[in-house]
Amino acid sequence: QVQLVESGGGLVQPGGSLRLSCSASEFSLDSYAIGWFRQAPGKEREGVSCIGSSDTNSYYAESLKGRFTISRDNAKNTVYLQMNSLKPEDTAVYYCAAAPDKGYYLYCLNWNSYDYWGQGTQVTVSS
């Protein structure tokens, strides 16, 4: 069963922007923490960003701070990842994931913390 649905990936030039979206196909996300992860060929899955259920708490991989922004609109049952100033090394398959929000975010960039995953969307940054 498909738990999460992602959209917004594609081909973009270096320096460009994309906004990824993540929504649940059959349940409400308003009590879930959401993480974004990415995996490039030959590399391990990497935590990108995560956000608590209330949109108050958000976290980023240190190397991505200032370029990527996570947000959510619970009324639309959607979480977003705004990606700016994209670089070729950002090329990867991007996944969103959900876990019940327990009010503690120490491990929110660890893929083992999540129960439900999207199918992944390809982001390619190239001239």
Side-chain angles (χ1 to χ4, degrees):
Q1 59 178 329
V2 177
Q3 296 292 310
L4 301 172
V5 179
E6 299 158 324
S7 63
L11 175 65
V12 65
Q13 294 182 342
S17 298
L18 285 173
R19 188 178 74 164
L20 306 183
S21 298
C22 174
S23 61
S25 59
E26 70 285 308
F27 64 96
S28 175
L29 293 176
D30 62 2
S31 64
Y32 287 81
I34 304 296
W36 284 97
F37 296 81
R38 67 185 184 182
Q39 188 163 22
K43 299 181 68 176
E44 293 185 349
R45 194 178 309 176
E46 175 188 20
V48 173
S49 184
C50 53
I51 189 168
S53 62
S54 70
D55 202 20
T56 300
N57 302 105
S58 59
Y59 306 88
Y60 301 88
E62 187 67 28
S63 63
L64 301 178
K65 288 181 178 178
R67 294 199 298 122
F68 289 14
T69 303
I70 192 169
S71 63
R72 68 191 301 157
D73 186 343
N74 284 344
K76 296 181 178 180
N77 206 35
T78 301
V79 177
Y80 305 98
L81 182 69
Q82 178 68 45
M83 306 187 294
N84 298 326
S85 301
L86 284 163
K87 304 174 181 179
E89 52 263 44
D90 295 318
T91 296
V93 178
Y94 284 71
Y95 302 89
C96 67
D101 191 345
K102 299 179 180 180
Y104 185 69
Y105 308 105
L106 180 62
Y107 305 109
C108 75
L109 293 176
N110 186 333
W111 65 270
N112 288 301
S113 299
Y114 294 89
D115 305 302
Y116 307 104
W117 291 82
Q119 79 288 344
T121 185
Q122 177 71 47
V123 172
T124 302
V125 184
S126 176
S127 299

